[in-house]
Amino acid sequence: MAVNLSAPVTAELHPVAGIELGWAEAQIRKPKRKDVLLVAIAEGSSVAGVFTSNRFAAAPVQLCRAHLAAGVGIRALVINTGCANAGTGEPGIGAAQTTCVAVAEQLGCGPVQVLPFSTGVIMEPLPVERLVAGLPQAKSRLAPAHWAEAAEAIMTTDTLPKAASTRIELGGVSTTITGISKGAGMIEPNMATMLGFIATDAGVAPALLPRLTKRVADASFNRITIDGDTSTNDSFVVIATGKNGAPQIESLNDPRLETLTAAITAVAQQLAQAIVRDGEGATKFITIRVEDAANPEEALKVGYAVAHSPLVKTAFFASDPNLGRILAAVGNSGIADLDAGRVQLWLDEVWVARDGGRHPDYREEDGQRVMKQAEIAVRIALGRGEASETVWTTDLSHEYVTINADYRS
Amino acid sequence: MAVNLSAPVTAELHPVAGIELGWAEAQIRKPKRKDVLLVAIAEGSSVAGVFTSNRFAAAPVQLCRAHLAAGVGIRALVINTGCANAGTGEPGIGAAQTTCVAVAEQLGCGPVQVLPFSTGVIMEPLPVERLVAGLPQAKSRLAPAHWAEAAEAIMTTDTLPKAASTRIELGGVSTTITGISKGAGMIEPNMATMLGFIATDAGVAPALLPRLTKRVADASFNRITIDGDTSTNDSFVVIATGKNGAPQIESLNDPRLETLTAAITAVAQQLAQAIVRDGEGATKFITIRVEDAANPEEALKVGYAVAHSPLVKTAFFASDPNLGRILAAVGNSGIADLDAGRVQLWLDEVWVARDGGRHPDYREEDGQRVMKQAEIAVRIALGRGEASETVWTTDLSHEYVTINADYRS
C-alpha cells in the first residue's frame, strides 16, 4: 500500500515537444502486460544520464555509457521489464546490442543512437527475440501524449505508475518538464531497479547537460533509500529537446540554467519520493534531515545509517517510539570522532534527545503521537559544523519480506 | 526458532576454578525472570575485554574501559538485562557507578575492580535501586557450577541460553575453558546487545590477555552479523584465573599461548555461531566465505555486503535461488576496481556463476536443492589476490519483523 501516492492523471502530464512514447506487450516474462517502452527523441536533442555504481553494472548500462560517450546524438530509449540482463556476461551485451540494432532499424537511426534499459530478475538471459518482435507494436503507438502509459510500461513490483509534470516560464518562454520513474525495492538508488526519465523542451547544450543531470540526481534519486541495495541497472536520464522556441542554454552563466535545474530537480524529487512512497511494503514515508555536520559526506553517512537500520525501520513500522535505536544508528554510522554528548534528536517538532541523552521534557506520548503518523520527519543535529543533508526512506514491514520472498514466483 | 541449536546441558559445562556465578530476579523490567548476573573472580586473575565501536557506547561500556585501564585487578562482573543504560547521559554513568559500588560492598573489593554490563532498551533510565536490591540474592547463589543458570540470566530476546565448554591439555596440564553469550538481533557484533564471557583456569599475564582477546573476537564475535546494527553495549570479556596449577603464560614465545588462543577461539566461535543460530527470526544459518581477495579488509567488505543485503536475506528465507542478488550485493560492496568478469560464486558445492555470469552448467534445481537446506555455505572468489575471510549470518524472515516491531510491548 503506497503512502500518500495516487496514480498520475493523463491530463496533468504535459507532452514535451520532440518526445513520443509507445509501448508493447512483448511477454518478456508474463503475458498481457506492457513490458517494453520505446521513446523516440527528436534530432538535435541533448541527452545525459547517471548510472548505477554497482560493479555488476548490467549489459544495458554498459551500452548506455558507451553510446552516450560516442556523442553522435541519442534518438531513442528502449526499456524492458521482466529481465534485468545483468550478471549475464558477454551474451548479455550481445542481447542489448541486438536490441539497439532493432530499434535503430525501426526508427531509421544508428544503433549507437539508442540507449537500452532493463529491469527485472538478475542472472537470467534476456529473451531478446520477444523484445525485438514487440518493437513494431511499440513504434505504431508512438505519440506525445503517452506519458501515463509509459509510466505503466516500466513498472515491476510498483503498485502504481509514477509520473510528474510541470510548466515554467524560462526566460519568458513557456517550458515543459515531464518525467516518469519506477522502482520499489533495492533503492539507494536501487534495485528491482530504479529508473527515472525526464524530458524538457528547453534547449541545453550537450556539454552542459551531464552536470545538470548529476546535480538533479544528487538532490533527488541519490537521496532515497528503501533497503540499501544498489541495483545493477539503476539509471536516470534527462532529455532536453530544445523545441520550446527559445535559444539553447549554452553557458554556465545563462541565468536560465539555475531556473531550469531547480524546476527539473523539483520534478525529480517528486518522482524519487514517489518511489519511496511506493516502496516495497512501505507504510510510512520518513524524511531524515541531518544538520550541523562537519561536511555533506558525514551528514549523508549518518542519514543512511539511520535510514538503513532494520531496527529503526521496524520501530517505524510498529509506530513504537523506541527512539534510542536512532541514537544507536547515529553512533554506528562510522564517524570515528563523533561526540555523542553533542547529538540532538527531534521527531517532527518533538525534542527527543539533547546532549546525547533523553531530553528531560520528552514524554513518550509525544513520541508515540508522531510515530503513528504516515509521514514523519527525523531531525538529527551533530554539533560539528554547518553541513546538512536530507534522505528519504520507508519503514520495514512484513509486506517487504513477503514481496521479496515471493518476487520470482 | 533457532537453527540447529539446543540448550546447554549443565553436566557438559565444566566449572572454571576461580569463578563463581550467581543470579537474581531483580525485576529490572519484568517480574519473575533471572535478570541480574554476578560473576565473582578470584584474586590474581587476568581480565581483558573488547567493546562496541558505537559512538553512543553505553554508560557501563564506558566504565568497563575505565576500570580495565585502571589495572588494579578485576574481581567481579555484574550484568543486567531489561535496560541498556545507553543514551542516558551523565545520570546513566552515575547509575553504573552506583552498581559497581554496591557490588564492591557485597564482595569486599574496590568499585574500580567491578565491570558492569547492561542490555535491553536504549534511552531509558536504569532502575538502579532494584538492581542493587537484587545483589544480596545474587551473592547468596554464587557457586562454580552455575554456568547454565548464568547463560539464562543474560538472555533478552534469545530463545535459548548459550554456553560452551571444553577441556584441553595445555603444556601437559588439564585446562578448562567455559563461556556464555547472549544476543539475537543488532548483531555485528551487535544489539539487543551481543555479550560474551569466557573464563579459563589457565594463567595469562595481564599484558598478554588483551591481544589474545582481540584475536579471539576477530575470529568469532566480530565475524557474525544478523542485521548490521552495532549495539551501544556489545562486550566480550576473557578471564584467565591461573588456577590450573601450571605457571602463568608470560611471553609471546610460550608455545602454550597459541594452543590456548586456538582453544578459546573454538569456544568463542561456538558461542558466536549460537547467537546467529538463535538470531531474531532466523530460519537459516549462512556461512559466507570470500576468497581470492586483495586483502582481508575487502574480503570482509564483500562478506558483509552479502550478509547485510535484505534482498539476499529474504531470498534465503524463501529458499529462492534468486542468486543474481548475491552478485549484485558483491558489486555493491564498495570495491571501486572490482572486475565483475572475474567473480565466481558457489552455493555449497554447486558452481553458480563463473566469470561474472551464470555458469553454463548451472541448473536451477541444483541451486534450489541447496537453498532449501537449514545450513548453507556461500563461497565467492574475487580473482584479486590471496586473502580470505568468513562471515556468519542468517536470513531475514517475517519473524524478524514481528520481534523487532513488538520488542518493547
Side-chain angles (χ1 to χ4, degrees):
Chain A
M1 193 202 62
V3 183
N4 297 337
L5 184 71
S6 48
V9 178
T10 300
E12 293 171 358
L13 299 177
H14 313 296
V16 178
I19 301 290
E20 294 187 304
L21 311 103
W23 69 94
E25 293 168 357
Q27 303 200 37
I28 300 293
R29 185 167 184 84
K30 291 179 179 168
K32 292 182 187 170
R33 56 184 290 171
K34 302 183 180 74
D35 53 9
V36 170
L37 173 65
L38 188 61
V39 181
I41 304 169
E43 196 168 356
S45 299
S46 300
V47 178
V50 293
F51 300 93
T52 182
S53 59
N54 194 305
R55 295 300 302 169
F56 269 89
V61 167
Q62 297 177 50
L63 255 65
C64 276
R65 289 190 173 120
H67 291 187
L68 282 169
V72 294
I74 300 300
R75 298 296 309 281
L77 315 181
V78 57
I79 302 111
N80 75 273
T81 64
C83 176
N85 194 9
T88 44
E90 283 302 321
I93 297 281
Q97 279 169 332
T98 302
T99 306
C100 292
V101 168
V103 170
E105 278 170 7
Q106 290 286 322
L107 299 185
C109 63
V112 77
Q113 296 181 288
V114 179
L115 299 184
F117 306 84
S118 297
T119 171
V121 179
I122 305 169
M123 221 177 65
E124 292 193 357
L126 181 71
V128 66
E129 309 74 18
R130 296 206 291 279
L131 199 171
V132 168
L135 290 176
Q137 188 186 48
K139 187 192 169 193
S140 72
R141 286 173 172 149
L142 283 174
H146 282 162
W147 283 94
E149 293 84 352
E152 213 181 305
I154 62 173
M155 289 169 65
T156 56
T157 56
D158 307 63
T159 69
L160 286 168
K162 297 161 188 73
S165 187
T166 189
R167 275 204 181 126
I168 58 166
E169 290 289 307
L170 191 65
V173 177
S174 174
T175 299
T176 299
I177 301 165
T178 301
I180 57 175
S181 65
K182 65 108 354 199
M186 254 178 161
I187 301 293
E188 195 201 359
N190 277 328
M191 289 227 217
T193 300
M194 193 290 292
L195 296 178
F197 304 101
I198 295 181
T200 176
D201 55 3
V204 181
L208 293 182
L209 199 61
R211 182 177 163 279
L212 180 152
T213 303
K214 176 77 167 63
R215 279 185 61 195
V216 170
D218 280 347
S220 58
F221 293 103
N222 282 344
R223 291 295 176 274
I224 60 175
T225 178
I226 289 176
D227 52 20
D229 275 311
T230 297
S231 163
T232 49
N233 296 57
D234 291 332
S235 306
F236 169 56
V237 168
V238 175
I239 306 165
T241 65
K243 302 285 187 195
N244 66 347
Q248 179 172 271
I249 298 171
E250 298 201 327
S251 149
L252 285 174
N253 301 322
D254 188 325
R256 295 178 300 166
L257 186 60
E258 279 305 307
T259 308
L260 182 66
T261 303
I264 296 178
T265 299
V267 169
Q269 284 181 345
Q270 218 177 317
L271 292 172
Q273 291 179 12
I275 290 173
V276 176
R277 292 177 187 284
D278 197 19
E280 287 173 349
T283 74
K284 302 272 169 80
F285 180 81
I286 317 287
T287 301
I288 299 169
R289 183 169 173 80
V290 181
E291 300 178 341
D292 303 345
N295 52 59
E297 290 70 34
E298 73 174 33
L300 281 176
K301 259 191 186 176
V302 171
Y304 281 122
V306 174
H308 290 159
S309 163
L311 287 165
V312 170
K313 291 169 101 75
T314 47
F316 278 120
F317 171 55
S319 301
D320 178 3
N322 194 340
L323 302 172
R325 291 178 177 181
I326 297 179
L327 295 187
V330 171
N332 194 18
S333 59
I335 304 180
D337 61 348
L338 179 74
D339 179 355
R342 304 194 62 175
V343 172
Q344 326 287 321
L345 170 67
W346 291 262
L347 209 64
D348 276 15
E349 81 296 350
V350 177
W351 197 349
V352 177
R354 189 178 68 182
D355 303 339
R358 187 157 73 170
H359 193 290
D361 297 341
Y362 171 71
R363 296 176 312 162
E364 175 128 346
E365 66 228 62
D366 294 329
Q368 181 68 72
R369 178 173 46 76
V370 179
M371 288 297 274
K372 281 183 176 161
Q373 297 167 185
E375 309 224 356
I376 298 169
V378 174
R379 187 154 64 93
I380 298 154
L382 301 180
R384 294 166 57 84
E386 307 283 313
S388 64
E389 286 284 349
T390 299
V391 168
W392 297 286
T393 192
T394 63
D395 55 338
L396 171 59
S397 69
H398 283 294
E399 190 65 13
Y400 177 89
V401 176
T402 299
I403 293 169
N404 282 296
D406 298 347
Y407 176 44
R408 296 202 319 170
S409 13
Chain B
M1 192 200 63
V3 183
N4 296 338
L5 184 70
S6 47
V9 178
T10 300
E12 293 170 359
L13 300 176
H14 312 297
V16 178
I19 301 290
E20 294 188 303
L21 312 101
W23 69 92
E25 293 169 358
Q27 303 202 37
I28 300 293
R29 187 168 181 83
K30 290 178 182 171
K32 291 182 188 170
R33 57 185 288 171
K34 300 183 180 76
D35 55 8
V36 170
L37 173 66
L38 188 60
V39 181
I41 303 169
E43 196 168 355
S45 299
S46 300
V47 178
V50 293
F51 301 93
T52 181
S53 59
N54 193 305
R55 295 299 303 166
F56 269 91
V61 167
Q62 297 179 50
L63 254 66
C64 277
R65 289 189 172 120
H67 291 187
L68 282 169
V72 294
I74 299 301
R75 297 297 307 284
L77 315 181
V78 56
I79 302 109
N80 74 273
T81 64
C83 176
N85 193 10
T88 45
E90 283 301 323
I93 297 282
Q97 279 170 333
T98 303
T99 306
C100 292
V101 168
V103 170
E105 278 171 8
Q106 290 285 325
L107 299 184
C109 63
V112 77
Q113 296 181 289
V114 178
L115 299 184
F117 305 85
S118 298
T119 171
V121 179
I122 305 169
M123 221 177 65
E124 292 194 357
L126 180 71
V128 66
E129 308 74 19
R130 296 206 290 279
L131 199 172
V132 167
L135 290 175
Q137 189 186 46
K139 186 192 170 192
S140 73
R141 284 172 174 150
L142 283 173
H146 282 160
W147 282 95
E149 293 84 352
E152 213 181 303
I154 62 173
M155 289 167 68
T156 56
T157 56
D158 307 63
T159 69
L160 287 168
K162 297 163 187 73
S165 187
T166 190
R167 277 207 179 123
I168 58 166
E169 289 290 306
L170 192 65
V173 177
S174 174
T175 298
T176 299
I177 301 165
T178 301
I180 57 175
S181 65
K182 67 108 352 200
M186 254 177 161
I187 302 292
E188 193 199 0
N190 276 329
M191 292 227 211
T193 299
M194 191 291 291
L195 296 178
F197 304 101
I198 294 180
T200 176
D201 53 4
V204 181
L208 294 182
L209 199 61
R211 182 176 163 279
L212 180 153
T213 304
K214 177 77 168 62
R215 279 185 62 195
V216 170
D218 280 347
S220 58
F221 293 101
N222 282 343
R223 291 297 175 271
I224 62 175
T225 178
I226 289 174
D227 52 21
D229 274 311
T230 297
S231 163
T232 49
N233 296 55
D234 290 334
S235 305
F236 169 54
V237 168
V238 175
I239 306 167
T241 65
K243 302 284 186 194
N244 66 346
Q248 178 172 271
I249 299 171
E250 298 202 326
S251 149
L252 285 174
N253 301 322
D254 189 325
R256 295 177 301 166
L257 186 59
E258 279 305 306
T259 309
L260 182 66
T261 302
I264 295 178
T265 299
V267 168
Q269 284 182 345
Q270 218 176 316
L271 293 172
Q273 291 180 11
I275 290 174
V276 176
R277 291 177 187 284
D278 197 19
E280 287 174 349
T283 74
K284 301 273 170 79
F285 180 81
I286 317 288
T287 301
I288 300 168
R289 183 171 172 78
V290 181
E291 299 178 341
D292 302 346
N295 52 57
E297 292 67 34
E298 73 174 34
L300 281 176
K301 259 191 187 176
V302 171
Y304 280 122
V306 174
H308 290 159
S309 162
L311 287 164
V312 171
K313 291 170 100 75
T314 47
F316 279 120
F317 171 56
S319 301
D320 178 3
N322 194 341
L323 302 173
R325 291 180 176 180
I326 296 178
L327 295 186
V330 171
N332 194 18
S333 59
I335 303 181
D337 61 348
L338 179 75
D339 179 355
R342 304 194 62 176
V343 173
Q344 325 288 322
L345 169 67
W346 291 263
L347 210 63
D348 276 14
E349 81 296 352
V350 177
W351 197 349
V352 177
R354 189 178 68 180
D355 303 339
R358 187 157 72 170
H359 193 290
D361 298 339
Y362 171 71
R363 297 177 311 163
E364 174 128 345
E365 65 229 61
D366 293 328
Q368 181 68 72
R369 177 173 47 76
V370 179
M371 287 298 274
K372 282 185 175 160
Q373 299 167 184
E375 309 225 357
I376 298 169
V378 174
R379 186 153 65 91
I380 299 154
L382 301 180
R384 293 166 58 84
E386 306 283 316
S388 65
E389 285 284 349
T390 299
V391 167
W392 297 287
T393 192
T394 63
D395 55 338
L396 171 59
S397 69
H398 283 293
E399 189 64 13
Y400 177 88
V401 176
T402 299
I403 291 169
N404 283 296
D406 298 348
Y407 176 45
R408 297 203 317 170
S409 14

